[in-house]
């Protein structure tokens, strides 16, 4: 196969699990229990197709433009596509399609569930990494932003992102990191710690969108 990076690339995405469907000999990649990509293996365990999902219109356009992407083998042919693993699709284009497939399946879940799958709060924080998580605090997603230090109100970032804009997270907003982020600075942080916290959260949010 021309794309030796594919397994690592898919597993680097938030919330992705994989299994082997032994009967079909497909390596399947799931998010929230739903498949978004698969590597189809022949009797010698060599890939013969990579299956991924695209919007029907995009599928149609891509199939016209590139002979190495065809209607999904053993799949819904409107939504699924099969890419030949030894064809001429450039790496960057295949990565883009895999990102699109991941996003399409992720967006099929309610917002709260998407955040749960991603393991990130609206601002890109991984609350499970906090020592207070599970004792003093249930985490931002579970508390709908009303975390233990927010005086019974939703954190301003949560209120803006979810309650006002109805975004899954701030990755959908072109103002990130905005003045609301600046205003919610933990006063115990040094300038350097706060700068790093913003950098880490923005980076986590970008990785949800397939940007590195
Ligand atoms: S800063 Fe606000 S939105 Fe981010 S994790 Fe904390 S409470 Fe949630
Ligand atoms: S304005 Fe700020 S807090 Fe609101 S959605 Fe955009 S980045 Fe998030």
């Amino acid at each position: 196969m021309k794309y030796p990076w594919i397994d690592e690339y898919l597993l680097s995405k938030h919330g992705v699990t994989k299994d082997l469907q032994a009967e079909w000999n497909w390596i399947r990649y799931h998010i929230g229990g739903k498949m978004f990509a698969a590597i189809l293996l022949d009797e010698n365990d060599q890939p013969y197709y990579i299956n991924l999902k695209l919007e029907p219109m995009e599928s149609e356009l891509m199939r016209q433009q590139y002979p190495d992407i065809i209607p999904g083998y053993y799949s819904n042919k409107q939504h699924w596509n099969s890419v030949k693993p030894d064809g001429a699709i450039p790496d960057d284009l295949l990565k883009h399609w895999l990102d699109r497939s991941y996003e399409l399946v992720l967006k099929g879940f309610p917002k709260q569930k998407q955040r749960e799958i991603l393991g990130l709060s609206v601002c890109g924080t991984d609350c499970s990494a906090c020592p207070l998580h599970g004792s003093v605090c249930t985490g931002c997603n579970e508390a709908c932003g009303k975390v233990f230090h927010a005086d019974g109100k939703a954190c301003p970032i949560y209120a803006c992102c979810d309650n006002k804009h109805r975004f899954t997270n701030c990755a959908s907003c072109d103002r990130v990191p905005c003045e609301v982020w600046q205003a919610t600075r933990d006063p115990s942080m040094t300038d350097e710690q706060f700068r790093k916290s913003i950098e880490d959260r923005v980076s986590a949010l970008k990785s949800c969108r397939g940007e590195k």
Side-chain angles (χ1 to χ4, degrees):
M1 169 159 79
K2 256 185 63 187
Y3 310 109
W5 46 263
I6 194 165
D7 182 71
E8 194 181 338
Y9 186 73
L10 292 171
L11 291 176
S12 73
K13 294 178 172 297
H14 285 276
V16 171
T17 57
K18 82 168 179 181
D19 69 4
L20 174 71
Q21 213 292 357
E23 197 183 334
W24 309 339
N25 212 14
W26 287 21
I27 302 171
R28 302 182 302 185
Y29 298 84
H30 295 91
I31 182 155
K34 291 192 177 176
M35 187 173 79
F36 73 95
I39 301 174
L40 283 53
L41 304 174
D42 63 18
E43 61 279 8
N44 299 313
D45 292 336
Q46 294 305 307
Y48 62 95
Y49 282 130
I50 298 159
N51 275 14
L52 51 87
K53 234 178 166 177
L54 293 174
E55 295 279 12
M57 202 178 286
E58 190 177 7
S59 295
E60 205 48 54
L61 275 173
M62 294 301 111
R63 290 173 197 167
Q64 284 169 15
Q65 212 171 327
Y66 299 95
D68 290 324
I69 178 169
I70 60 171
Y73 181 78
Y74 261 80
S75 311
N76 178 309
K77 302 207 180 311
Q78 205 187 1
H79 296 277
W80 284 91
N81 300 275
S82 293
V83 176
K84 295 175 189 165
D86 294 305
I89 303 295
D91 285 23
D92 282 352
L93 184 58
L94 181 58
K95 283 182 182 173
H96 170 71
W97 288 344
L98 292 167
D99 294 346
R100 296 278 301 122
S101 188
Y102 173 86
E103 284 165 16
L104 273 175
V105 174
L106 181 65
K107 281 181 182 157
F109 291 98
K111 280 187 290 147
Q112 189 74 6
K113 178 72 180 170
Q114 288 182 45
R115 288 196 282 264
E116 198 182 292
I117 291 168
L118 294 170
L120 296 174
S121 70
V122 293
C123 74
T125 298
D126 174 4
C127 289
S128 71
C130 172
L132 301 179
H133 186 244
S135 54
V136 179
C137 185
T138 57
C140 184
N141 289 335
E142 291 79 354
C144 296
K146 294 178 185 172
V147 290
F148 72 100
H149 54 75
D151 298 326
K153 291 185 290 190
C155 161
I157 301 180
Y158 191 97
C160 179
C161 183
D162 185 284
N163 304 347
K164 183 175 168 190
H165 291 293
R166 307 277 173 208
F167 292 148
T168 296
N169 55 40
C170 291
S172 303
C173 180
D174 54 15
R175 292 174 54 203
V176 67
C178 68
E179 66 288 349
V180 186
W181 283 44
Q182 299 295 333
T184 49
R185 172 177 173 162
D186 176 347
S188 70
M189 280 184 176
T190 63
D191 288 351
E192 179 52 25
Q193 286 169 332
F194 186 54
R195 188 198 59 73
K196 177 81 171 48
S197 150
I198 288 188
E199 198 179 283
D200 290 347
R201 285 181 285 160
V202 169
S203 163
L205 290 173
K206 280 185 176 174
S207 72
C208 306
R209 291 187 302 205
E211 294 175 29
K212 299 286 172 202

